């Protein structure tokens, strides 16, 4: 158990819909990272938050957004969903610049 | 930008065989290097890490040495078990150059046959 929790574990939704994925980091970790894992793209970095502020952005679509709250949990919002957004979404946390610990992931299926 | 290249899989070995999974990287300066493992249906687990040249990371019988001269971080294990069957990812961060995100290789699927 990494100490990082993610909900929900599975999500099935239709094209055009909006979903929210939630992540609670390990106790004491200020950084939260979001990654997408798909068969064709592999593991791709989406976005990083550090202590409530956006710190780095990767290959995140404009339809996607994230935030980190004062209690350090983070949410990833995916809107106007397309079939190609079906993937595993991982949250990781860590002390900035060091190793990251991953949650179990949310499997998103868009139908 | 930074990148990681891993040997293509899948790799199939018999139990107690010697394992090597090759990993090379391209990065500015001295990145931190990691191996993560993903068991079926689970998230990624940190297996080992090395943060400077010539460091050796080790865990659960796995080892990898940070070789700056060859920009490599090959994963090795002397005697694999069926329970080692998983997907292995080599990755790096480069925090000294403002890059705290993990850049991953494509992953190598390992299957161990009893």
């Amino acid at each position: 158990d990494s100490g990082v929790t993610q909900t929900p574990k599975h999500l099935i939704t239709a094209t055009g819909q909006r979903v929210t994925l939630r992540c609670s980091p390990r106790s004491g970790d200020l950084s939260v990272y979001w990654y997408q894992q798909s068969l064709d793209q592999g593991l791709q970095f989406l976005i990083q938050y550090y202590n409530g502020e956006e710190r780095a952005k990767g290959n995140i679509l404009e339809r996607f957004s994230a935030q980190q709250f004062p209690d350090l949990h983070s949410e990833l919002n995916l809107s106007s969903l397309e079939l190609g957004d079906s993937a595993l979404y991982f949250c990781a946390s860590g002390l900035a610049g060091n190793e990251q610990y991953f949650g179990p992931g949310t499997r998103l299926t868009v139908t | 930008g930074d990148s990681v290249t891993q040997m293509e899989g899948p790799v199939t070995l018999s139990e107690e065989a010697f394992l090597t999974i090759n990993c090379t990287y391209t990065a500015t300066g001295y990145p931190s290097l990691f191996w993560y493992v993903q068991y079926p249906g689970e998230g990624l687990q940190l297996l080992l890490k090395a943060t400077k040249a010539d460091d050796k990371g080790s865990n659960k019988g796995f080892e990898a040495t940070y070789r700056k001269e060859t920009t490599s971080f090959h994963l090795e294990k002397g005697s694999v078990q069926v329970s080692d069957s998983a997907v292995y990812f080599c990755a790096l961060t480069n925090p000294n150059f403002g890059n705290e995100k993990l850049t991953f290789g494509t992953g190598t699927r390992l299957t161990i046959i009893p």
Side-chain angles (χ1 to χ4, degrees), chain A residues 35-105:
Chain A
Y35 295 87
Q36 179 194 60
Q37 185 178 33
S38 61
L39 281 174
D40 54 344
Q41 298 286 334
L43 273 158
Q44 299 279 321
F45 167 71
L46 296 178
I47 197 164
Q48 177 197 1
Y49 276 80
Y50 178 81
N51 202 21
E53 300 288 326
E54 182 184 304
R55 183 121 164 185
K57 231 171 182 176
N59 300 321
I60 188 165
L61 299 171
E62 283 193 15
R63 300 183 284 107
F64 295 1
S65 65
Q67 54 185 326
Q68 187 179 28
F69 295 87
D71 65 353
L72 299 179
H73 91 271
S74 177
E75 293 180 356
L76 179 67
N77 300 296
L78 315 176
S79 62
S80 303
L81 285 167
E82 302 175 359
L83 295 178
D85 298 327
S86 296
L88 262 171
Y89 291 86
F90 287 108
C91 164
S93 76
L95 300 174
N98 290 311
E99 63 267 24
Q100 297 172 27
Y101 295 89
F102 283 74

Side-chain angles (χ1 to χ4, degrees), chain B residues 71-103:
Chain B
T71 62
S72 65
F73 193 55
H74 305 321
L75 183 68
E76 296 182 336
K77 187 176 185 183
S79 176
V80 293
Q81 306 300 314
V82 172
S83 57
D84 294 327
S85 298
V87 181
Y88 292 80
F89 293 92
C90 185
L92 67 80
T93 62
N94 211 347
N96 293 332
F97 287 83
N99 184 5
E100 296 174 5
K101 68 176 172 70
L102 282 161
T103 299

